Structures are given as structure tokens and as C-alpha cells.
Amino acid sequence: MQKTKRLLTYLFSTLMLILLLAACNSDSTSTGNNNEDGDKKAEEKIVVGFSQIGAESGWRTAETESIKETLGNDSRFELKFSDAQQKQENQIKALRSFIAQKVDIIALAPVVESGWETVLQEAKDAKIPVILLDRGIDVKDESLYTSFIGSDFILEGENAAKELIKLMGEDTKVNIVELQGTVGASAANDRMEGFANVIKENSNYNIIKSQSGDFTRAKGKEVMEAFLKSDGDNIDAVYAHNDDMALGAIQAIEEYGLKPGEDIKVVSVDGIKAIFEAVAAGKANIIVECNPLLGPQLAQAALDLQAGKEIERWIKTEETVFVGKEAAETALPSRKY
Ligand code: GYE
């Protein structure tokens, strides 16, 4: 009896041990599988670090939204977003942090053209491709970035000047004041260059003042106030490198007692809704479109790069020009930014 009891206890303990081992074993296998799945999924996601300039304009807010919407709502991507508040040093810090985090791709909207060599070399050494977004940079070694997604700012400047001459007539004497974008930004340098290229061909057209309004409405207004104070009734047209500065200028002109769009013609670049409203109301005249909705193009470029495909060196956006009330009114309902 005693013997049987011992045997049963022995059998029972052995069985328990076997069950326990089996459980442990299956546990560890399933944990292993889960980890593998998890790692695989994490690996499959393309991690994009995006260093944005800031939120100085309606255009930039639209660009940020487009990128957050496109990459943020797509399970194939993980987006790391960093806002530099207009400072290049913050962008350099963000890039270094992206490199340390071993992101797959860096997207950079560079606030200014110069000063990128060192940090981009660091990205290159870490084998992280860099895509420039919306603004260009000035580097000797072109291999420091893979591609540029954005507009032809020289062409935008040229179109602004051509349309202004068409509107006011080749033989009219026209004094222009210019509101430049952020000093050192490619969007400012090139819009200035393109505009000047066309204007200098016609001796009736003169740029009498040109100063930076930093792409913001407040500074655009401030600089326009100063222009009006010094040159007042001598100004026939204002060329603003973006809509926000144009909107600031419109306010300054009204406060000065003149009619924007009539006494002083207003030409601007970007095409945000607010400038379409101003043109429709007769307070501005010419809009040179510059498309900020770059999310889809960035996503496609990132997918192609990850798949080992070659991507174009310059991925351009389609853009157009709008002149006058009617064009603005017709376009307004379908404007997306
Ligand atoms: O035109 C302006 C913005 O870099 C193209 O920056 C962009 C420019 C845009 O602040 O509104």
C-alpha cells in the first residue's frame, strides 16, 4: 500500500515536471515568435526624421500638415517631427538626434542655404539619405543630399515680374518695393534673382527699395510701413516673396490711406487662401503659386529609396499663376491650403 502510494506520488511529480517543462518551453517559443514579429514590423516601418523650419507662414503650416497627414496616417512610416523655430542651430541639433536614433531617412527643410556641410557629412557617414524639402542648400559636394523636392524659385520670381509688366504695361513708369523673405534662404535669394532678371530688361521698371520681412505678416507690415514713410506716393507696386508679407503690406497700405490693389499693385508668391480672398476683394493683383503640399511626394521618395530605387535629383511640383479678381474668385472654392 505504502509502495503504491510512493509510486503514485513519484508518477504524479514526474507528470507535473513534464507539464511544467512543456509549458515553459512553449512559453519561451511563443515569446520568441512575438519578438521576431515585433522586430520585423519595426524593421518594415520607414522611420523618417523631418526637421521643419518653424511656423512663420500659412504656407509652412500647410506643408507641416501635409507631411504629418501623409506620413503620420500611413502605417508604413514612422514620422519623427522637429520644429526648429527658425533657427539653423536647432535644425543641426535635430539632425544629429535623428542620426543618433538611426532613422532611415532624414527630410530637411533648410532655413538658409549655407552652413550644412558638417552635419550632412555626419548623416552621409551614418549612411542616412537626406532629402531636402522646399528650400535648397549651397554645398560643393552634391553627394551630401539625395534629392530636392520643391519649386523653382527663380522661375517664380521671373513669373512675378512678367505678370506685373503685363498688368501695368511695358511703357508705364513703375516704382517697385520688394519685401524679401528670410535672409539667406534659397526661397528669398532665388525669388529676388528671378524677379530682378526680368525687371532689369525694362528701363521703365525700377526696384526702389528691397528689404527682408522674414516671411512673416508682422515684419512684412513693419517694413512696408517704413517704405511708405520714406517713399509714400512714389510707390506703384509691391513685390512680396510670400503671401503673409503681402497681407501685412496690404494692411500697412490701408492704414497709410492708400488703396492696395489699385494705388499700389500687390504681387505675391505662395497662393494661400487668404491671398486669394484679398485678390478677389481687389486688394491684391497677382498670385504666383508655390505648392506646400509635399507630403505625398516625400512619402513616394522615401518608399522608392527604401526599395533601393534611384530617385530624381529634383522632384518638381506643378504650379501656376493667377491674375485678377475673376481668376481668384474662380479658384477659391477649390484651394486646398
Ligand atoms: O514661400 C514661405 C515660407 O520655403 C517655399 O517659406 C518656402 C517659403 C514659402 O515661409 O511662405
Side-chain angles (χ1 to χ4, degrees):
M1 189 62 203
Q2 194 61 24
K3 238 184 178 176
T4 327
K5 209 175 168 188
R6 229 184 282 146
L7 188 67
L8 274 176
T9 317
Y10 173 75
L11 280 175
F12 182 71
S13 326
T14 316
L15 187 70
M16 287 306 284
L17 194 70
I18 290 170
L19 282 176
L20 196 73
L21 281 173
C24 278
N25 215 7
S26 82
D27 244 25
S28 72
T29 344
S30 78
T31 316
N33 274 341
N34 277 344
N35 265 345
E36 261 168 41
D37 282 353
D39 288 350
K40 232 184 186 173
K41 270 192 201 126
E43 256 172 41
E44 278 166 8
K45 273 197 193 267
I46 305 173
V47 183
V48 178
F50 173 39
S51 167
Q52 176 59 298
I53 293 171
E56 75 282 2
S57 64
W59 189 98
R60 192 150 306 284
T61 313
E63 183 192 47
T64 297
E65 272 168 20
S66 166
I67 285 161
K68 281 189 174 169
E69 243 177 62
T70 317
L71 279 83
N73 291 333
D74 188 329
S75 59
R76 292 171 297 179
F77 298 102
E78 184 189 330
L79 177 66
K80 292 181 187 293
F81 180 83
S82 173
D83 179 335
Q85 317 219 312
Q86 315 298 323
K87 293 201 178 88
Q88 184 177 31
E89 60 192 82
N90 290 344
Q91 293 204 285
I92 292 174
K93 267 188 217 151
L95 258 52
R96 292 207 163 115
S97 149
F98 292 152
I99 296 168
Q101 292 173 69
K102 297 191 167 54
V103 300
D104 296 309
I105 289 164
I106 289 175
L108 167 68
V111 60
V112 290
E113 283 189 291
S114 58
W116 296 103
E117 274 87 356
T118 312
V119 73
L120 291 188
Q121 186 61 51
E122 290 167 25
K124 192 181 168 188
D125 293 344
K127 299 198 167 46
I128 302 173
V130 173
I131 297 176
L132 299 179
L133 220 58
D134 93 66
R135 289 186 192 170
I137 59 171
D138 191 10
V139 283
K140 279 201 197 86
D141 179 359
E142 297 266 301
S143 76
L144 289 179
Y145 65 92
T146 307
S147 179
F148 167 64
I149 302 177
S151 311
D152 185 337
F153 302 133
I154 294 189
L155 186 69
E156 289 174 350
E158 286 171 357
N159 285 339
K162 282 181 192 160
E163 293 299 333
L164 182 68
I165 296 173
K166 251 198 246 167
L167 181 78
M168 302 192 75
E170 280 189 15
D171 303 324
T172 324
K173 268 226 156 279
V174 175
N175 286 334
I176 306 159
V177 294
E178 179 178 30
L179 294 168
Q180 301 170 20
T182 301
V183 175
S186 71
N189 291 341
D190 293 354
R191 283 173 187 166
M192 186 154 59
E193 187 182 324
F195 190 80
N197 284 346
V198 175
I199 292 299
K200 68 170 187 262
E201 297 294 317
N202 186 322
S203 57
N204 284 324
Y205 282 68
N206 286 302
I207 301 166
I208 57 167
K209 284 270 154 74
S210 182
Q211 203 181 309
S212 171
D214 213 9
F215 282 130
T216 70
R217 188 188 279 231
K219 289 221 181 103
K221 179 169 186 259
E222 207 178 288
V223 175
M224 190 66 199
E225 279 166 357
F227 288 164
L228 286 161
K229 210 170 174 190
S230 62
D231 293 82
D233 302 337
N234 231 349
I235 303 170
D236 304 302
V238 52
Y239 165 47
H241 289 185
N242 85 340
D243 293 341
D244 296 72
M245 293 190 296
L247 292 162
I250 289 172
Q251 225 180 315
I253 297 167
E254 282 178 331
E255 283 172 19
Y256 185 77
L258 291 175
K259 284 198 175 118
E262 287 180 35
D263 301 326
I264 297 180
K265 302 278 189 255
V266 180
V267 189
S268 165
V269 190
D270 275 357
I272 61 171
K273 269 192 193 133
I275 200 74
F276 274 85
E277 281 158 5
V279 175
K283 294 184 179 190
N285 311 84
I286 298 163
I287 303 165
V288 178
E289 189 184 37
C290 177
N291 189 358
L293 309 178
L294 304 177
Q297 281 157 310
L298 175 61
Q300 193 53 52
L303 287 169
D304 288 348
L305 273 183
Q306 201 70 356
K309 290 187 197 159
E310 277 230 356
I311 61 172
E312 272 177 76
R313 184 79 183 149
W314 185 354
I315 301 170
K316 280 191 197 174
T317 349
E318 271 191 36
E319 285 152 352
T320 174
V321 179
F322 300 86
V323 185
K325 263 185 175 192
E326 225 175 274
E329 269 165 11
T330 316
L332 241 180
S334 57
R335 295 304 295 169
K336 292 198 178 65
Y337 59 96

